[in-house]
Amino acid sequence: MNKNKILANVENGKISPVFALKQLRGEDEHRNHACKEQLWELDPIKELNQLVGLDNVKQLVTEVTAFLSIQKRRKEEGLIAEPVVMHMIFKGNPGTGKTTVARIFGKIFKHLNFLEKGHLVEVERADLVGEYIGHTAQRTKEKINESLGGILFIDEAYSLARGGEKDFGKEAIDTLVKAMEDKKDEFILILAGYSYQMNNFLNTNPGLKSRFPIHLNFDDYSVANLMEIADMMLKNRQYKMSSKAKIKLFKMLKQKEQQDFYNFANARLVRNIIEKAIRLQAVRLVNKKTITKEELLTINEIDIKDE
C-alpha cells in the first residue's frame, strides 16, 4: 500500500492514525532496505569478494585501489606519479573464474574512474586472425576499438602463436603490442589460458611479456570450494540441498577429483550438475497434486546426477 492510499484510509476512517503511522514506517524501512540492496548490487568490489577463493585476485584489487588513489594524490601535490598500466595475464585451467573476474574487473576499474565504460569484449583466435595479409590487422584493430573504455579479453591467447612465423596470428600479436603502447590509457588487455602454454606464448614476442605488469594465477578449486560454490548457486536461485544430496554431491566430486586430478577443479562442472538437478527436481514435482514450499525449495539426493 502506498503513502496516498494509507492517508486516504485514515481520512475515510478505515484505519487509525497510529496504524497508518506504523504502515508508513514499514514502507520507509522497506524502501531503505531496497536501496541498500541496490547499492550492494552496484558495488563490484563486494561482488568480487562474494566469489569463492581467489584470495590473490582480491588482494590485487586492494593494491590497485590504493595505488590509483595515491597516484591521484601525488598528482594533486605536484609530485611525480607512476604510470598506470593495467594489462594482465590470467593463468589457470578452464572454469577457475578467469572470465568472471575479467568481467568484474571491468566494473571495478570503471568504479575507480580508470575505465570510461568498463565493458568486456571477449574474443578468441577466430575473431582476430584473418585469411590474407592485412586482414588480421584490420580485424584485430576493430576488436581493440570495440574494447576502448573497457577490457579486451583474449581466451586461449597462446593459440595466436601456434602457427609459427608465417601464421597470420603473429600479425594479431604485433597489432596488439602496438595498441598496448599507443592506447595504454584507453583499454586493458587481458590474455588468458593454461599456465604452461601462456608461459611459452609470452616468449614468442620480445616486447610482449614486459608489457604485462600483472600476472594472476587462478588455482584449481578444492572439493570444499566446489561444495561452497554449489551452495551459493542454489541460494541465488532460492534452492537448497538436503543433507543426503550434499553427501552425494561431495562423493561425486571426490570421485571425479581422483579420476582426473589435473583437469578436475572446474566450477562449470558444478554449475552443470546443479542446473541439471533443478531440472530433475521440476520433473519429479510437476505432476504432484499438492506441492509444499519446502518441496519447491529442496534438491534431494535423487536429483543429483552426473552431467
Side-chain angles (χ1 to χ4, degrees):
M1 188 180 296
N2 62 35
K3 184 177 180 179
N4 291 334
K5 285 185 178 180
I6 293 171
L7 294 175
N9 285 336
V10 173
E11 292 177 2
N12 295 331
K14 292 182 178 179
I15 60 174
S16 70
V18 174
F19 184 70
L21 185 60
K22 288 181 179 179
Q23 283 191 311
L24 288 170
R25 283 176 178 169
E27 189 168 287
D28 287 339
E29 287 175 7
H30 176 75
R31 189 181 296 110
N32 290 336
H33 178 72
C35 288
K36 287 178 182 177
E37 288 296 319
Q38 188 176 20
L39 286 172
W40 175 276
E41 290 174 4
L42 291 174
D43 189 338
I45 294 178
K46 286 182 178 178
E47 185 180 353
L48 176 67
N49 288 334
Q50 282 186 310
L51 297 180
V52 174
L54 302 174
D55 292 339
N56 60 328
V57 176
K58 295 169 186 175
Q59 176 60 31
L60 171 69
V61 170
T62 300
E63 294 171 5
V64 168
T65 303
F67 175 73
L68 292 175
S69 177
I70 292 300
Q71 297 314 305
K72 181 181 177 182
R73 289 290 302 275
R74 286 178 64 87
K75 281 184 180 179
E76 291 170 354
E77 296 295 335
L79 298 172
I80 296 173
E82 289 291 316
V84 181
V85 180
M86 292 293 168
H87 301 308
M88 307 181 197
I89 299 294
F90 285 6
K91 302 175 186 176
N93 290 329
T96 50
K98 298 188 294 297
T99 306
T100 300
V101 167
R103 191 172 292 112
I104 295 175
F105 271 10
K107 299 177 188 177
I108 289 174
F109 285 115
K110 181 185 178 184
H111 185 70
L112 296 173
N113 296 317
F114 183 77
L115 292 174
E116 183 181 353
K117 299 177 183 176
H119 63 299
L120 182 75
V121 177
E122 186 178 353
V123 300
E124 53 189 24
R125 177 186 165 93
D127 300 306
L128 302 177
V129 178
E131 300 173 357
Y132 50 85
I133 295 173
H135 190 207
T136 295
Q138 177 189 338
R139 295 180 73 173
T140 304
K141 286 176 183 176
E142 286 173 357
K143 289 299 179 182
I144 291 168
N145 290 333
E146 187 182 334
S147 70
L148 293 181
I151 293 175
L152 179 59
F153 180 85
I154 306 178
D155 200 12
E156 297 185 358
Y158 43 78
S159 64
L160 293 174
R162 68 186 179 196
E165 285 293 318
K166 295 182 180 180
D167 183 70
F168 289 132
K170 183 179 182 300
E171 189 177 357
I173 296 170
D174 293 339
T175 305
L176 289 167
V177 169
K178 188 174 188 306
M180 289 171 71
E181 186 61 35
D182 295 346
K183 302 177 185 290
K184 60 178 177 291
D185 299 326
E186 300 178 60
F187 81 115
I188 294 174
L189 177 62
I190 299 179
L191 304 184
Y194 290 101
S195 297
Y196 178 75
Q197 287 93 328
M198 286 303 298
N199 290 334
N200 290 336
F201 167 68
L202 290 173
N203 294 323
T204 62
N205 185 301
L208 199 56
K209 189 173 184 179
S210 62
R211 283 179 166 79
F212 291 92
I214 299 172
H215 290 233
L216 281 174
N217 291 310
F218 286 72
D219 296 331
D220 290 340
Y221 291 111
S222 65
V223 171
N225 288 151
L226 294 176
M227 289 296 297
E228 192 176 345
I229 289 170
D231 279 333
M232 188 176 297
M233 287 177 177
L234 287 167
K235 183 179 179 182
N236 289 340
R237 293 167 170 82
Q238 290 191 312
Y239 288 90
K240 63 180 181 178
M241 279 186 286
S242 68
S243 57
K244 288 184 177 180
K246 287 185 178 183
I247 292 170
K248 184 175 181 180
L249 178 59
F250 182 83
K251 288 180 177 178
M252 185 185 297
L253 294 174
K254 267 292 185 186
Q255 184 179 19
K256 286 186 174 293
E257 180 185 41
Q258 293 167 359
Q259 289 172 347
D260 191 2
F261 179 80
Y262 292 104
N263 297 305
F264 154 72
N266 192 323
R268 293 174 197 166
L269 165 68
V270 172
R271 184 182 66 222
N272 291 341
I273 292 173
I274 292 302
E275 288 178 351
K276 184 171 185 177
I278 291 173
R279 294 195 302 271
L280 291 176
Q281 185 235 41
V283 171
R284 177 169 55 82
L285 295 178
V286 70
N287 291 322
K288 289 190 68 174
K289 290 183 178 179
T290 57
I291 307 173
T292 66
K293 182 177 180 181
E294 187 67 17
E295 286 178 312
L296 290 170
L297 286 170
T298 307
I299 299 295
N300 288 336
E301 178 184 13
I302 195 173
D303 304 319
I304 300 293
K305 293 187 178 180
D306 208 341
E307 294 182 271

